[in-house]
Amino acid sequence: DYRVLESTVNIIKDEILLISRDITDRKSMQEKLKSYSTKLEDTLKETTGNLEKSIEQFQSLFNLIPDPAVIVASKGRFLAINNKSLDRTGYKREDLLGKSFLSTDIVSQKSKLILFENLGKRLIGKKIEPYEIEVVSKDGKEKGWAEVNAKRIDYHGQKADLVILRETTIRKKSEDKLRESTEKHQRL
C-alpha cells in the first residue's frame, strides 16, 4: 500500500521549508472519475450508434410502407414523409417538412377541416375510425381519395401521429358508377 503526497519546497533565509500533504484519496477519486468518464463515453458512443441504427432501420421500414405515410406533430406539422407520399403527390420532401398540412395544398379545403378535427380528437385521446380525405397533387391537376388511419406515437421524444393513407380513388369511382347505375335502373 502506498500513499501519494503533494509537496512544496520553499527556501526562506537559508532554511528549507518542506510542506507535504497526503492526497492519496483525491488521486484515487480522480482515477475513479477518469475511469467512470471513459466508461460513460463508451456507453454514450454505443448508445448513439444503436440509436443511429434504429433511426436508419425505422426510415427504411417507413419508406417500405406500400401506401403513402406521414408523421405529423400535434399541430399538423410534417415531421417525416415516406417516398410513396412524394411519388403519389409530386411534392418534394422539402416542400412539406416542417410545414403544417393546413398551410399546404396537399389536401382539399374540406379535407383540411376533417383532418384538423380528427387531429384534435386524437390529441385528447379519442380513438378515430378510418375516414376519407381528398388528396391533391402538387400541380393541382390530380385529385384522389385516401382512407386515413392514424396512431399516436413517440417520434424523437415528442408525441406525434403516424398517418397511413390508403388509396381509395378506384373504389370511390366504382361506388359512384354503381350508384349511378342503380339510380338509372330504378328510374326505368
Side-chain angles (χ1 to χ4, degrees), residues 44-60 156:
L44 183 59
K45 283 178 188 175
E46 182 182 337
T47 303
T48 301
N50 291 340
L51 181 60
E52 288 171 356
K53 283 181 187 175
S54 293
I55 290 169
E56 288 173 16
Q57 289 171 341
F58 171 80
Q59 195 62 44
S60 293
H156 296 299

Side-chain angles (χ1 to χ4, degrees), residues 4-177:
V4 179
L5 299 175
E6 179 181 69
S7 300
T8 58
V9 176
N10 291 313
I11 300 176
I12 303 173
K13 297 184 182 180
D14 296 330
E15 290 187 19
I16 298 175
L17 178 62
L18 176 65
I19 301 173
S20 296
R21 72 180 156 183
D22 188 341
I23 60 166
T24 306
D25 292 340
R26 184 173 80 188
K27 279 293 190 186
S28 175
M29 289 302 286
Q30 286 174 340
E31 290 299 320
K32 285 179 183 177
L33 282 173
K34 187 176 180 180
S35 174
Y36 291 144
S37 177
T38 301
K39 287 178 185 176
L40 186 60
E41 285 175 10
D42 291 345
T43 302
L44 183 59
K45 283 178 188 175
E46 182 182 337
T47 303
T48 301
N50 291 340
L51 181 60
E52 288 171 356
K53 283 181 187 175
S54 293
I55 290 169
E56 288 173 16
Q57 289 171 341
F58 171 80
Q59 195 62 44
S60 293
L61 290 172
F62 186 60
N63 281 318
L64 284 174
I65 296 173
D67 294 313
V70 296
I71 297 174
V72 294
S74 60
K75 293 184 180 176
R77 186 173 46 89
F78 290 104
L79 300 175
I81 303 149
N82 78 346
N83 293 338
K84 189 60 84 173
S85 296
L86 303 174
D87 294 343
R88 292 273 172 91
T89 63
Y91 280 91
K92 293 180 181 168
R93 206 169 253 104
E94 58 269 14
D95 293 333
L96 301 172
L97 279 180
K99 296 178 182 162
S100 170
F101 67 82
L102 295 170
S103 66
T104 68
D105 294 323
I106 197 165
V107 294
S108 68
Q109 283 301 116
K110 183 178 179 181
S111 293
K112 284 180 184 181
L113 294 173
I114 294 167
L115 284 166
F116 188 70
E117 179 182 329
N118 287 326
L119 179 63
K121 288 178 182 177
R122 267 193 307 283
L123 282 173
I124 60 171
K126 286 190 178 180
K127 183 175 177 352
I128 307 296
E129 294 299 319
Y131 56 93
E132 282 191 326
I133 60 167
E134 187 177 26
V135 180
V136 182
S137 65
K138 184 176 180 178
D139 61 12
K141 293 179 183 175
E142 293 184 43
K143 294 182 180 181
W145 291 90
E147 180 182 82
V148 176
N149 282 293
K151 172 85 172 126
R152 294 291 288 163
I153 63 169
D154 182 59
Y155 184 73
H156 296 299
Q158 66 178 315
K159 293 292 182 195
D161 287 321
L162 170 60
V163 181
I164 309 289
L165 300 137
R166 172 75 33 98
E167 179 70 41
T168 60
T169 303
I170 294 170
R171 183 183 80 197
K172 194 144 179 89
K173 285 180 181 179
S174 296
E175 288 171 355
D176 288 345
K177 284 182 182 178

